[in-house]
Amino acid sequence: MNKHILITGATGMVGKKLIPILMERGHQVSVLSRKATRIKDVKVYLWDVYESKIDPKCLSGIDTIIHLAGENIAGEKWTDARKKKLIDSRVLSAQLLYKTIKEQNAPVKTFISAAAVGYYGDAGDQVLTEESPNGSGFLAECCAKWEAAADQGLSMGIRVVKWRIGVILAKQGGALKAMEQPIRYFFGAGLGTGKQWVPWVHLDDIMEMFTLAAENDSYSGAYNATAAHPVSNIMLTKAIAKQLHRPVWPINVPEFVLKIILGELSAVVLSSNNTSAQKLLNTGFKFKYSKLELALADIYQTK
């Protein structure tokens, strides 16, 4: 059955690619944006999360919301002001959407939210399922508040799906661009111990996850949106270097150096998340790219 879907954060890497895919599947798409922008065959409505302003017409006929809005976690150093913005951009936006749904008595049945594996904090080698506890540290706190904001819809009878996304591997932008830079310039090295688990996922598989969650009512709650085979930081570094035909230094970048350069933001690259994709696999989901080598080959050989 075709849906009428409202997307927030539509100018980001996931949103940009998701819009045409949903439309090809026969869904109608509208977008909430901070700036006036034109997207072919898509109605664009304006909102300002920090001012609590939203065009109420954005919810007209909407049955599904895909909530991708949120400041870039790794975009800047984590000052106190930046941390507040990272949380507010996720929490206040969800609250504003739910408040408007109530006020407009909108027919929203499904709320699909981006979330992140940062929810688990630094968990070493422990295998992480969706039942694993919320970890410690800023990233884990931010993710817990992000998910709690999405879960407000449950009391309104709305189906809520939260995708705990790992490192998205994509042709343009995203984490891979940052990871490959030092390798390209012959400075490739493991970070910290290099043993920390990196839960990765190909952008194409993320597209399928969001699309299926919109189309299929059996999806609900949190899912690890990560490939079935996570790898260590050094394995990922070596796999990227192989694609770029570059060497990897035998000496890792020490943890203390990363902390000096990045401050608390170093948690993004030093945390270990050995996520399990079993809950997602149990739905019958088929990964297009379950092995890292295949995912990177697709990205680098079709650039």
Side-chain angles (χ1 to χ4, degrees):
M1 192 177 126
N2 293 348
K3 309 282 185 184
H4 190 172
I5 301 169
L6 177 68
I7 300 181
T8 74
T11 55
M13 182 173 69
V14 172
K16 259 194 285 201
K17 189 161 184 191
L18 190 56
I19 291 169
I21 288 171
L22 291 170
M23 288 167 74
E24 277 163 26
R25 302 267 281 241
H27 304 299
Q28 191 177 339
V29 176
S30 297
V31 159
L32 261 178
S33 174
R34 285 180 296 183
K35 297 182 186 128
T37 181
R38 293 181 77 117
I39 305 170
K40 193 175 183 299
D41 299 325
V42 171
K43 274 191 180 165
V44 178
Y45 299 93
L46 294 178
W47 70 337
D48 185 326
V49 170
Y50 305 110
E51 296 281 328
S52 274
K53 287 179 183 165
I54 187 169
D55 184 342
K57 293 196 288 294
C58 70
L59 288 169
S60 178
I62 295 292
D63 50 56
T64 305
I65 293 175
I66 295 180
H67 185 39
L68 305 171
E71 296 279 343
N72 182 357
I73 292 273
E76 295 172 26
K77 264 194 171 181
W78 288 350
T79 60
D80 286 347
R82 181 66 183 166
K83 284 180 178 177
K84 184 177 186 314
K85 207 163 189 188
L86 288 170
I87 290 175
D88 284 353
S89 63
R90 289 160 169 79
V91 172
L92 298 181
S93 54
Q95 287 175 347
L96 183 55
L97 285 165
Y98 282 128
K99 177 172 170 275
T100 313
I101 289 168
K102 275 183 185 164
E103 287 170 358
Q104 297 297 311
N105 199 15
V108 176
K109 301 275 187 295
T110 302
F111 190 98
I112 302 163
S113 178
V117 294
Y119 177 90
Y120 304 111
D122 183 3
D125 290 332
Q126 180 193 343
V127 176
L128 300 167
T129 71
E130 291 77 3
E131 303 302 312
S132 298
N134 180 218
S136 59
F138 170 70
L139 209 51
E141 178 203 346
C142 178
C143 290
K145 288 179 175 173
W146 191 0
E147 291 196 14
D151 280 340
Q152 291 169 61
L154 296 173
S155 63
M156 298 159 66
I158 291 172
R159 175 174 66 97
V160 175
V161 182
K162 300 165 292 184
W163 290 111
R164 291 177 183 163
I165 301 170
V167 173
I168 298 178
L169 303 181
K171 289 182 179 68
Q172 276 93 32
L176 189 56
K177 197 171 182 195
M179 285 188 280
E180 72 177 27
Q181 285 298 92
I183 298 169
R184 276 192 191 279
Y185 296 110
F186 297 90
F187 290 112
L191 303 177
T193 64
K195 293 176 184 171
Q196 65 273 32
W197 290 97
V198 181
W200 63 274
V201 61
H202 192 292
L203 182 59
D204 286 359
D205 284 319
I206 287 288
M207 293 300 110
E208 187 67 5
M209 290 175 205
F210 275 95
T211 304
L212 285 175
E215 293 175 345
N216 191 329
D217 287 353
S218 63
Y219 283 85
S220 78
Y223 293 86
N224 289 334
T226 58
H229 303 284
V231 295
S232 68
N233 169 266
I234 192 67
M235 284 164 72
L236 178 57
T237 305
K238 285 178 174 174
I240 296 168
K242 189 177 174 187
Q243 291 292 335
L244 295 172
H245 308 292
R246 295 288 193 273
V248 172
W249 286 79
I251 304 157
N252 290 2
V253 181
E255 193 171 312
F256 79 89
V257 172
L258 290 164
K259 285 183 173 170
I260 289 167
I261 297 167
L262 300 171
E264 271 188 88
L265 181 56
S266 60
V268 171
V269 291
L270 292 172
S271 290
S272 180
N273 294 127
N274 186 11
T275 50
S276 163
Q278 197 55 52
K279 183 181 175 187
L280 179 56
L281 291 169
N282 289 348
T283 69
F285 186 87
K286 299 272 191 296
F287 281 93
K288 192 173 173 186
Y289 300 101
S290 60
K291 295 278 172 65
L292 178 65
E293 292 72 22
L294 295 174
L296 291 175
D298 168 71
I299 289 164
Y300 286 108
Q301 286 162 29
T302 55
K303 269 195 169 180

